[in-house]
Amino acid sequence: MDYIYMTEEGYNNLLEEIRKLEENDRPQVIQEIAEAREKGDLSENAEYSAAKEKQANLEDKIGQLKMQLASIRIVDTSKMDTTKVQILSKVTILDLKRNKEKTYTIVSDNESNQKEGKIAISTPIAQGLLGKKEGDEVDITVPAGVLRFKILKIGF
């Protein structure tokens, strides 16, 4: 079984998303189905078909999220090694070409959020930083070309 390593915050966000889908979205879809059913002949009722499809997609999403829950391992960052970059590391890097600092937290694909500086472990930048130490300079190939970074700080 492949595990999904996540912060407690990410785990709680996933639980909240499931709760919202089950408690808000599911009843709304059920109501849409009931309203469409009241309009008569179901075999020619496009609203009913659309609502049933929406319900199937919703239930599929809930099922997928619940399967993810079973694979999640919450990581206690206070016990992690800060000498090298790994999942959940908060890494400050210097783009050597642009002389610009950036800070990223490397998270599971489910937790990535560019606006919050959280990059998925599967991205080229995260993959290029994994296992590296403070002071290391790395060349990372991205779709736009090769980027060169210096790792300034590793933390959690």
Side-chain angles (χ1 to χ4, degrees):
M1 173 185 263
D2 290 334
Y3 294 118
I4 300 170
Y5 295 97
M6 203 175 261
T7 61
E8 188 169 354
E9 176 189 6
Y11 178 80
N12 290 334
N13 289 342
L14 185 59
L15 285 176
E16 178 59 24
E17 182 178 359
I18 292 170
R19 185 202 62 74
K20 179 191 165 292
L21 292 171
E22 290 180 332
E23 295 178 10
N24 297 347
D25 296 3
R26 182 183 278 157
Q28 180 182 348
V29 170
I30 290 170
Q31 180 63 34
E32 289 174 17
I33 291 170
E35 288 173 5
R37 187 177 284 140
E38 290 174 3
K39 294 184 178 174
D41 185 7
L42 299 182
S43 65
E44 295 180 16
N45 189 331
E47 287 180 40
Y48 178 78
S49 296
K52 288 298 282 183
E53 184 175 336
K54 187 175 178 181
Q55 180 185 38
N57 291 336
L58 176 67
E59 293 303 328
D60 185 48
K61 184 172 183 176
I62 291 170
Q64 288 176 4
L65 293 175
K66 285 186 172 185
M67 283 179 54
Q68 285 179 8
L69 278 180
S71 303
I72 291 174
R73 298 294 177 258
I74 297 174
V75 179
D76 181 359
T77 56
S78 68
K79 297 178 182 176
M80 293 182 73
D81 179 9
T82 58
T83 63
K84 62 182 178 181
V85 178
Q86 55 193 313
I87 191 162
L88 302 183
S89 291
K90 187 172 191 171
V91 186
T92 301
I93 57 176
L94 176 65
D95 181 331
L96 294 172
K97 184 177 181 181
R98 295 182 182 98
N99 199 32
K100 185 175 179 181
E101 279 187 30
K102 297 178 184 182
T103 300
Y104 295 116
T105 302
I106 299 174
V107 297
S108 68
D109 291 345
N110 306 28
E111 286 187 274
S112 68
N113 183 328
Q114 192 71 6
K115 290 179 185 175
E116 295 176 6
K118 295 178 179 180
I119 61 170
I121 194 162
S122 62
T123 62
I125 291 176
Q127 287 292 305
L129 295 173
L130 288 176
K132 303 299 189 273
K133 299 180 179 197
E134 284 184 18
D136 285 354
E137 292 186 10
V138 294
D139 292 321
I140 300 174
T141 303
V142 297
V146 177
L147 302 175
R148 185 159 182 79
F149 298 111
K150 180 174 184 176
I151 299 174
L152 302 177
K153 183 177 178 186
I154 302 169
F156 290 99

